[in-house]
Amino acid sequence: MTRTDIARRVYNHTWKLDPIIRSLLDTDFYKLLMLQMIWGLYPRVEAEFALINRTTSVRLADEIDEAELRAQLDHARTLRFTKKEMIWLAGNSFAGRTQIFEPDFLAWLAEFRLPEYELEKRDGQFELRFSGPWMETSMWEIPALAIINELRSRAALKVLGPFELDVLYARAKARMWAKVEQLRPLPDLRISDFGTRRRHSFLWHRWCVEALKEGIGEAFTGTSNVLLAMDNDLEAVGTNAHELPMVLAALATTDKALRAAPYQVLQDWNQYYQGNLLIVLPDAFGTDAFLRDAPDWVADWTGFRPDSAPPVEGGEKILAWWRARGRDPRGKLLIFSDALDVETIVETYRHFEGQVRMAFGWGTNLTNDFSGCAPRPIDGLDPISLVCKVVSANGRPAVKLSDNPRKATGNADEIARYLQVFGDDGRVSHEVRV
Amino acid sequence: MTRTDIARRVYNHTWKLDPIIRSLLDTDFYKLLMLQMIWGLYPRVEAEFALINRTTSVRLADEIDEAELRAQLDHARTLRFTKKEMIWLAGNSFAGRTQIFEPDFLAWLAEFRLPEYELEKRDGQFELRFSGPWMETSMWEIPALAIINELRSRAALKVLGPFELDVLYARAKARMWAKVEQLRPLPDLRISDFGTRRRHSFLWHRWCVEALKEGIGEAFTGTSNVLLAMDNDLEAVGTNAHELPMVLAALATTDKALRAAPYQVLQDWNQYYQGNLLIVLPDAFGTDAFLRDAPDWVADWTGFRPDSAPPVEGGEKILAWWRARGRDPRGKLLIFSDALDVETIVETYRHFEGQVRMAFGWGTNLTNDFSGCAPRPIDGLDPISLVCKVVSANGRPAVKLSDNPRKATGNADEIARYLQVFGDDGRVSHEVRV
């Protein structure tokens, strides 16, 4: 028996492309949920998405080779949903319900491919934009981010030899398992993987998901990554994102319509989804403004996902609001998903234990925590704050205010206008971690 | 490209034997040095070796399947030195000299095979004995210990699934690399691998040796394992062991001859070896007795290997003796090899820095440190104090007193007689770690 599989070795050293995106299902589940709604209600809206690197000190275009980036983006555009994937989407149950996707939507999806992209370099950064129908461009968000983050990891690792790589991944695994052991003692923990966009790599992401499945069992309630959910028989989890209120707000032609946009989103959503999928994401234009102006029926939704304030503070605000509206928080659900690590998960869990149902969507710190793992100091392994945001809808600029002014996006004039409409209450600057 | 190498997978799941000993060179270098001397000076001496498990709480015969043990021992008996190995032994330089092995000895070695063994179970332990010519039985020590230790590891790991094994080895690698990083700052450290006999497994041993080569570079001065030395272009290191004074003492027919035996060993050795190989192992019958009665020429030897007292205490005793004999310790060498871990290495290094040349022979804690690495508690991964000792020579019982009475071997009557001849000065009981 020889030690080396010659065919594999030759293949590994001569392939033209090691694909980062292997399937169109390698995306967040909320993209598919939102896509069905966009396809159903806003099929003619044009939306432009753009890459935004908030960690400006990292010059992505210096770290990543443009030709490699184009090759990966081009490869992603060759993908289609496979028959197996389509059958799974049609036949699987999501959030406890079967046939969540309409047959007509699935028929459209079967023909889907990622639209074109525009890429140029400017000042050491990539200007990467996706223009076209919202129901096409929206699907670029996750693969674009995953591609850039993995290309950055690969570039950083090129200086390491095989033994150093072995040590690096051994240490990362040991650290990941230490986290598992910290989470195990929490009896009613519900945690899911939200780490696709900022992951170190696809293979590492898969390992982390397997580690949670192996290590915390029932407490691991699923993954936002649809491909990993399918392959590992896990729940696909997620609901909706800021792009919905951002696009609807951009489309609003009056201040009144702008003020109503966040609630219009919820009404649209409710045409498609019920139960555990009725999760409010309140911070697009400031959580205080959202709660202040919310119609009473919003308090009947299943839960909230506070996404830009510190978890205890953000959660307490929602609890107070439910109580003020006469709802018992113990029947409600809070989903935490912003910059979580083990310490904040444990602290938040302990704080709200018994007061409200909780779920944790664990992202970057789950799938991209390599600090100190390299056997010698190397640059480029720390995650960066990279997002892919909608920047305009039907040519009108899109804005996000957030509860944290440092996470705001959009041009200054529009931000000022939004602040006049929604106010600035409760918005506090925090360092954007990742 | 399929993911699975079918031939390899089928082979891995159907092989009759996964051999632990793959080569007769998979032994400690000192066995070959001693063997040449035994072959040259004591070819007709019969010596019996026996396995001794000092960790009596571990019932080896309950943990290890007897048939598997027999299969491994039988497999080791099929091995011969290969042509490549013989050419390397003849052509390589050892301790700075070429042609350290005589052509006639090598010609005899080329025909060597391990002799028969006797194995039975008693009270949950294996009685494993090797009887015959000393120049044959001596060679069983290391493979027998490596086989039993690895079979014990394998038995312990059988309860773990593939993911748990992945975590186990990741953690062990992370820990090993943490040790490397603790050792790196010591500027003139000289450390070698002495871990063959107590290793977790051959493959893990190899990884640890590669880690030291990669991680501490020049400070890693070699390995006692001849096969790993050859395969990794490292120095093969080691000198001599207790079996030499033990056999010569057993052969002594008068108390005077018994008292002279430890120095007779050195005179015999000096017929074959010089320079850095002139290392005294003083503790077979108590270091105090050895130093008290030593002829002055012993102080001209290159160094000492104190092996059963705590390193600082044992080293200081030798330094004081050299000084009393008018020798400057700064030109001398101390080799520490008993129960070392990173902390004792660093402490000993700091203590003797500038006073004497030092080398550390790192054993069990290098190649078999898995405590706390398993993702759930399992038994059988902690190393045990297992030795394979000469128990008689030409039918006369062999004894070791050691500086630590708990490491003494031999029957009670003979130990009493040896204590009358050598005295009990300086012998202090310490827990036998491994």
Side-chain angles (χ1 to χ4, degrees):
Chain A
M1 176 63 52
T2 58
R3 295 191 184 189
T4 306
D5 178 347
I6 303 174
R8 175 182 299 266
R9 187 176 159 85
V10 169
Y11 175 71
N12 280 345
H13 286 265
T14 56
W15 59 21
K16 290 197 180 60
L17 184 82
D18 178 12
I20 291 170
I21 302 299
R22 294 152 165 83
S23 154
L24 285 176
L25 283 189
D26 185 11
T27 191
D28 275 345
F29 181 56
Y30 75 6
K31 298 302 307 196
L32 297 182
L33 293 178
M34 292 192 289
L35 194 63
Q36 175 165 249
M37 184 192 117
I38 297 165
W39 165 85
L41 302 179
Y42 302 97
R44 273 174 294 277
V45 171
E46 303 271 315
E48 183 176 36
F49 282 73
L51 187 76
I52 302 169
N53 175 13
R54 297 191 288 221
T55 309
T56 48
S57 59
V58 169
R59 293 168 61 89
L60 281 175
D62 293 348
E63 295 187 5
I64 295 171
D65 179 67
E66 182 181 335
E68 282 189 48
L69 174 53
R70 286 185 184 277
Q72 291 290 347
L73 295 167
D74 291 342
H75 178 264
R77 291 198 64 225
T78 67
L79 296 171
R80 300 288 184 281
F81 289 97
T82 66
K83 281 188 192 170
K84 172 181 85 171
E85 292 169 347
M86 293 305 305
I87 291 165
W88 182 80
L89 284 174
N92 190 43
S93 71
F94 298 97
R97 295 178 191 229
T98 54
Q99 297 179 322
I100 200 170
F101 296 113
E102 295 179 9
D104 286 353
F105 171 68
L106 289 176
W108 173 82
L109 201 64
E111 304 298 321
F112 181 84
R113 56 177 283 181
L114 288 167
E116 292 187 357
Y117 61 89
E118 301 151 52
L119 174 66
E120 46 184 312
K121 283 203 243 186
R122 188 168 302 166
D123 298 333
Q125 301 294 346
F126 287 118
E127 300 243 333
L128 178 59
R129 289 172 174 271
F130 309 99
S131 310
W134 187 15
M135 63 186 183
E136 295 183 3
T137 55
S138 172
M139 285 290 277
W140 260 120
E141 179 192 7
I142 307 302
L145 293 172
I147 285 170
I148 291 178
N149 283 317
E150 184 162 346
L151 284 178
R152 188 163 171 266
S153 299
R154 292 183 184 180
L157 296 177
K158 270 180 189 157
V159 299
L160 298 183
F163 198 90
E164 291 174 305
L165 288 170
D166 192 14
V167 170
L168 175 92
Y169 285 106
R171 283 176 155 185
K173 286 177 179 179
R175 172 178 300 172
M176 176 61 205
W177 198 259
K179 293 179 188 180
V180 163
E181 293 191 336
Q182 280 179 276
L183 294 172
R184 256 188 198 153
L186 307 183
D188 299 313
L189 183 68
R190 294 169 57 83
I191 198 163
S192 2
D193 154 45
F194 275 26
T196 301
R197 67 191 62 205
R198 300 266 169 72
R199 68 190 181 197
H200 169 82
S201 73
F202 172 75
L203 293 176
W204 178 246
H205 184 193
R206 187 168 74 183
W207 193 90
C208 292
V209 164
E210 289 168 355
L212 286 174
K213 185 176 178 183
E214 177 93 14
I216 64 172
E218 293 295 304
F220 183 43
T221 50
T223 168
S224 65
N225 187 288
V226 195
L227 180 63
L228 293 177
M230 180 178 77
D231 284 347
N232 295 287
D233 263 349
L234 292 165
E235 279 289 310
V237 297
T239 53
N240 51 62
H242 295 111
E243 69 179 277
L244 297 184
M246 287 172 74
V247 168
L248 267 60
L251 296 177
T253 49
T254 65
D255 285 355
K256 188 179 169 211
L258 175 57
R259 194 175 289 113
Y263 316 106
Q264 181 61 45
V265 167
L266 304 186
Q267 288 172 307
D268 290 347
W269 189 257
N270 207 173
Q271 290 185 45
Y272 285 86
Y273 308 111
Q274 292 82 34
N276 280 336
L277 294 180
L278 296 185
I279 302 297
V280 182
L281 180 66
D283 69 328
F285 312 117
T287 299
D288 282 17
F290 180 91
L291 295 175
R292 181 192 65 217
D293 299 338
D296 190 67
W297 55 261
V298 174
D300 291 327
W301 274 39
T302 306
F304 274 69
R305 177 161 77 93
D307 191 49
S308 54
V312 168
E313 180 187 323
E316 282 293 354
K317 190 175 283 183
I318 311 293
L319 258 65
W321 182 80
W322 273 323
R323 292 185 182 116
R325 301 279 175 136
R327 269 64 163 202
D328 184 348
R330 286 175 298 182
K332 297 292 191 181
L333 178 62
L334 284 183
I335 298 176
F336 298 99
S337 58
D338 185 39
L340 296 178
D341 58 27
V342 171
E343 288 69 32
T344 48
I345 290 172
V346 173
E347 181 199 336
T348 306
Y349 176 92
R350 297 280 184 216
H351 181 88
F352 290 111
E353 207 176 356
Q355 294 188 67
V356 63
R357 293 191 292 133
M358 281 172 276
F360 294 90
W362 196 11
T364 313
N365 194 259
L366 167 63
T367 60
N368 200 353
D369 180 11
F370 282 76
S371 64
C373 287
R376 57 192 162 102
I378 58 173
D379 287 330
L381 276 190
D382 292 335
I384 57 175
S385 186
L386 187 72
V387 294
C388 182
K389 284 284 174 197
V390 61
V391 292
S392 72
N394 286 348
R396 302 167 59 88
V399 163
K400 178 184 171 189
L401 292 179
S402 174
D403 288 332
N404 180 357
R406 298 195 205 179
K407 288 178 95 168
T409 61
N411 74 47
D413 287 350
E414 281 296 291
I415 289 179
R417 184 169 79 90
Y418 277 58
L419 282 173
Q420 278 203 320
V421 170
F422 293 106
D424 197 20
D425 289 353
R427 294 176 73 241
V428 181
S429 222
H430 295 284
E431 191 188 349
V432 178
R433 291 177 56 191
V434 273
Chain B
M1 177 62 53
T2 58
R3 292 191 186 191
T4 304
D5 177 348
I6 302 174
R8 176 182 298 265
R9 188 178 158 84
V10 170
Y11 175 71
N12 280 345
H13 286 265
T14 56
W15 59 20
K16 291 195 180 63
L17 183 83
D18 179 11
I20 290 170
I21 302 299
R22 293 151 166 84
S23 154
L24 285 177
L25 283 189
D26 185 11
T27 192
D28 277 344
F29 182 55
Y30 75 5
K31 298 302 304 198
L32 297 182
L33 293 178
M34 291 191 291
L35 195 63
Q36 175 165 249
M37 184 192 116
I38 298 165
W39 165 87
L41 302 179
Y42 301 97
R44 271 173 297 275
V45 170
E46 302 272 315
E48 184 176 33
F49 282 72
L51 188 75
I52 303 168
N53 176 12
R54 296 190 288 221
T55 309
T56 48
S57 60
V58 170
R59 292 167 61 89
L60 282 174
D62 293 348
E63 296 187 6
I64 296 171
D65 180 66
E66 182 182 334
E68 282 188 50
L69 175 53
R70 285 184 185 275
Q72 291 290 347
L73 295 168
D74 290 342
H75 178 265
R77 292 197 64 224
T78 68
L79 296 172
R80 299 288 183 282
F81 290 97
T82 66
K83 281 188 193 170
K84 174 181 82 170
E85 292 169 347
M86 293 306 304
I87 291 165
W88 182 81
L89 285 175
N92 190 42
S93 70
F94 298 96
R97 295 178 191 226
T98 54
Q99 296 179 321
I100 200 169
F101 297 113
E102 293 179 12
D104 285 353
F105 171 67
L106 290 175
W108 174 82
L109 201 65
E111 303 299 321
F112 182 84
R113 57 177 282 181
L114 288 167
E116 293 186 357
Y117 60 88
E118 300 150 55
L119 173 66
E120 47 184 312
K121 285 204 242 186
R122 189 169 302 166
D123 298 334
Q125 301 294 344
F126 288 118
E127 300 242 332
L128 179 57
R129 290 174 174 267
F130 309 99
S131 310
W134 187 13
M135 63 187 183
E136 295 183 3
T137 55
S138 173
M139 285 290 279
W140 258 120
E141 180 192 7
I142 308 302
L145 293 172
I147 284 170
I148 291 179
N149 283 317
E150 183 161 347
L151 284 177
R152 190 165 170 263
S153 299
R154 291 184 185 180
L157 296 177
K158 270 180 187 155
V159 300
L160 298 182
F163 199 90
E164 292 175 304
L165 288 170
D166 192 13
V167 170
L168 174 91
Y169 284 105
R171 284 177 154 185
K173 286 178 178 179
R175 171 177 301 171
M176 177 60 207
W177 199 258
K179 293 178 187 181
V180 163
E181 292 190 338
Q182 281 179 274
L183 293 173
R184 256 189 199 152
L186 307 183
D188 298 313
L189 184 68
R190 292 168 59 83
I191 199 164
S192 2
D193 153 46
F194 274 28
T196 301
R197 67 190 60 205
R198 301 268 169 70
R199 68 191 183 197
H200 169 82
S201 73
F202 172 74
L203 293 175
W204 177 247
H205 185 194
R206 188 168 72 184
W207 193 91
C208 292
V209 164
E210 289 168 355
L212 286 174
K213 186 178 178 181
E214 177 94 13
I216 61 171
E218 293 295 303
F220 183 43
T221 49
T223 168
S224 66
N225 188 289
V226 195
L227 180 63
L228 293 176
M230 180 178 77
D231 284 347
N232 295 286
D233 263 349
L234 292 165
E235 280 288 310
V237 296
T239 52
N240 50 62
H242 295 110
E243 68 180 278
L244 298 184
M246 288 172 73
V247 169
L248 266 61
L251 296 177
T253 49
T254 66
D255 285 356
K256 190 181 167 209
L258 174 58
R259 194 175 289 113
Y263 315 105
Q264 180 63 43
V265 166
L266 304 187
Q267 287 172 307
D268 290 347
W269 189 258
N270 207 172
Q271 291 185 46
Y272 284 87
Y273 308 111
Q274 293 81 36
N276 281 335
L277 294 180
L278 297 184
I279 303 295
V280 181
L281 179 67
D283 70 327
F285 312 116
T287 298
D288 281 17
F290 180 89
L291 296 175
R292 181 191 65 218
D293 299 336
D296 191 68
W297 55 261
V298 174
D300 291 326
W301 274 39
T302 307
F304 273 68
R305 177 160 77 92
D307 192 49
S308 55
V312 168
E313 182 186 321
E316 283 293 353
K317 190 175 283 184
I318 311 293
L319 259 63
W321 183 79
W322 273 323
R323 288 185 184 118
R325 301 277 175 137
R327 269 62 163 204
D328 185 349
R330 286 175 299 181
K332 298 290 189 180
L333 178 64
L334 283 183
I335 299 175
F336 298 100
S337 59
D338 185 39
L340 296 178
D341 58 24
V342 171
E343 287 68 33
T344 47
I345 290 172
V346 173
E347 180 199 337
T348 308
Y349 176 93
R350 297 279 185 220
H351 180 88
F352 289 110
E353 210 177 355
Q355 294 189 68
V356 62
R357 292 191 292 133
M358 280 173 277
F360 294 90
W362 198 11
T364 313
N365 195 259
L366 166 64
T367 60
N368 200 354
D369 180 10
F370 282 76
S371 63
C373 288
R376 58 192 162 101
I378 57 172
D379 287 329
L381 275 191
D382 291 335
I384 57 175
S385 187
L386 187 72
V387 293
C388 183
K389 284 285 175 195
V390 61
V391 290
S392 70
N394 286 349
R396 301 167 61 90
V399 163
K400 178 184 170 190
L401 293 179
S402 175
D403 288 331
N404 181 355
R406 297 196 206 178
K407 289 178 93 168
T409 61
N411 74 48
D413 287 349
E414 281 296 293
I415 289 179
R417 185 169 76 91
Y418 277 58
L419 282 171
Q420 278 204 318
V421 169
F422 292 105
D424 198 22
D425 288 354
R427 292 176 74 241
V428 181
S429 223
H430 296 284
E431 194 187 346
V432 177
R433 292 176 56 189
V434 274

